[in-house]
Amino acid sequence: MHRYSQVTIAIHWLTAVLVIVAWFTAVSGPDARTDPSYVHFTVGLAVLLLVVPRLLARWAAAPRVEDPQRRWLDLAARAGHAVLYLLLVALPLTGWYAASRLGVPVSFLGISLPSLAAPVQGAPGEIADLHETGGTLILWLAGLHALIAIWHQFALKDRTLERMNPLAPSDLTQDG
Ligand code: HEM
Ligand code: HEM
């Protein structure tokens, strides 16, 4: 049984809060052009900034000890986590692209970022649509992910929640 490092745990929970704030501050339609939410841009780009060290820490970590009794569950968890990571990278990038297409300047903590695409007059296009759909999908997936983690903890009693708990007893092996 392993647990995550305190840095990974901190990034996990901070990312969860940032994603929720990004969802609540998102605007669409004409408002996205005339009254864009800079809080949305900032928290969304912070998600992108945080996912990089998190993935590096994950790859540098010792391999996870798998439970041979529940190999399919382990594979399902890996697939689910991969989709979440994909969205954590793709959402900020597609959002940045959507803002560029809408002609809205993007900055992060006062630093102006370059446009990812030339501005257009009408709708910002399919990648912007994907951003909107993905932005809602990540919340549903994260909710499902949380329910599965709770099921692991209380039904399978395999201490899954403790892996992500910064205050859990430290008798677990640390590996990521
Ligand atoms: C937007 C919200 C969230 C996102 C994007 C997210 C994302 C992730 C990702 C990508 C992992 C895989 C970590 C790795 O192995 O590299 C993970 C693990 C985990 N998450 Fe979340 N999570 C969110 C919310 C939550 C919530 C609300 C809970 C609480 C029930 C939770 C509990 C856990 C646990 C216990 C693990 C460890 C699972 C394991 O080791 O098998 N997460 N999360
Ligand atoms: C985890 C990060 C993010 C999440 C969860 C997220 C979520 C969303 C959601 C749900 C919408 C649709 C709102 C609605 O239809 O009412 C949206 C729209 C939008 N977001 Fe994000 N977003 C994220 C990051 C970003 C970033 C980093 C940027 C820009 C730098 C951005 C720019 C935009 C723009 C311009 C729109 C309007 C698109 C349009 O009208 O077609 N987003 N976002």
Side-chain angles (χ1 to χ4, degrees), residues 1-4 8 11-20 47 51 54-55 57-59 64 73-74 77-78 80-88 138-139 141-153 158-165 175-176:
M1 183 52 147
H2 78 291
R3 70 172 299 171
Y4 294 90
T8 301
I11 295 179
H12 174 268
W13 293 113
L14 183 57
T15 302
V17 171
L18 291 171
V19 167
I20 293 166
V47 166
V51 81
R54 184 169 172 190
L55 284 172
R58 190 180 206 286
W59 281 320
R64 242 175 85 168
L73 255 186
D74 197 72
R78 277 162 193 261
H81 292 164
V83 174
L84 283 171
Y85 277 127
L86 182 77
L87 286 168
L88 292 175
I138 196 173
L139 270 201
L141 281 180
L144 184 66
H145 158 81
L147 287 178
I148 294 172
I150 292 166
W151 171 69
H152 268 271
Q153 176 76 22
D158 62 5
R159 305 177 73 187
T160 290
L161 274 186
E162 290 168 49
R163 294 178 192 181
M164 269 305 171
N165 180 355
D175 78 351

Side-chain angles (χ1 to χ4, degrees), residues 22-23 26-29 32 40-41 44-45 92 95-96 99 102 106 124 128 131-132 135:
W23 192 81
V27 285
S28 149
H40 182 73
F41 294 0
L45 289 167
W96 185 355
L102 289 163
V106 176
H131 176 75
E132 295 190 335

Side-chain angles (χ1 to χ4, degrees), residues 92-101 106 113-119:
L93 290 176
T94 53
W96 185 355
Y97 173 93
S100 307
R101 295 271 287 179
V106 176
L113 300 178
S115 294
L116 292 187

